[in-house]
Amino acid sequence: MLPITAFAAAILALLFVKLSIDVIRQRRRAKASVGDHGDAHLIKAIRTQANCAEYVPMGIILLGLAEMQHVPAWLVFCSAAALVLGRVFHAVGFGRTPQIIPLRRIGMLLTFGQISGTALVLLVATFV
């Protein structure tokens, strides 16, 4: 069982559904069932959702591997918190018009920190 990974994945799945609903709303508003029709609001919604889809899978895979490698639970929890907070902060910061640049940056730093930090922990755990 991977309880920390499951919890983080569930929260991030809900975030993804929320971002997907935002895309649907913008598609309806722009009357664009396919593509973005050059609509700035729709483009932003699509990219916010896509950014989540691009980074979350790697973060969740690394979390699961860390739990399976018996990395201390507190460290896995910190990694999960960084991923969840990073993705939420980025979605809020990037998704707003105008963007909230500090939130976007914090989100990026937390996400990149989670991915690279957990990868390094796994490399160490592999050889110890």
Side-chain angles (χ1 to χ4, degrees):
M1 299 209 44
L2 305 172
I4 298 170
T5 302
F7 185 75
I11 292 171
L12 291 165
L14 293 173
L15 173 64
F16 187 76
V17 168
K18 189 263 187 236
L19 297 175
S20 298
I21 290 168
D22 291 346
V23 171
I24 292 166
R25 285 185 182 141
Q26 291 300 324
R27 284 191 180 286
R28 287 182 179 162
R29 184 198 52 74
K31 295 181 171 78
S33 65
V34 177
D36 58 40
H37 292 257
D39 184 277
H41 296 290
L42 177 54
I43 292 168
K44 182 170 275 194
I46 290 169
R47 281 308 311 147
T48 304
Q49 178 205 36
N51 192 276
C52 183
E54 292 160 1
Y55 286 99
V56 166
M58 180 60 68
I60 291 297
I61 290 167
L62 291 167
L63 278 177
L65 291 171
E67 271 194 284
M68 289 190 302
Q69 290 284 356
H70 305 291
V71 170
W74 68 268
L75 196 53
V76 176
F77 179 81
C78 288
S79 177
L83 181 62
V84 169
L85 289 174
R87 293 294 78 212
V88 169
F89 287 171
H90 187 273
V92 171
F94 181 71
R96 294 280 194 264
T97 302
Q99 292 182 34
I100 305 170
I101 299 297
L103 275 184
R104 183 178 179 190
R105 285 183 182 147
I106 292 167
M108 289 167 32
L109 289 171
L110 286 169
T111 300
F112 291 159
Q114 186 269 343
I115 290 172
S116 58
T118 307
L120 290 172
V121 166
L122 285 169
L123 285 171
V124 170
T126 301
F127 296 107
V128 172

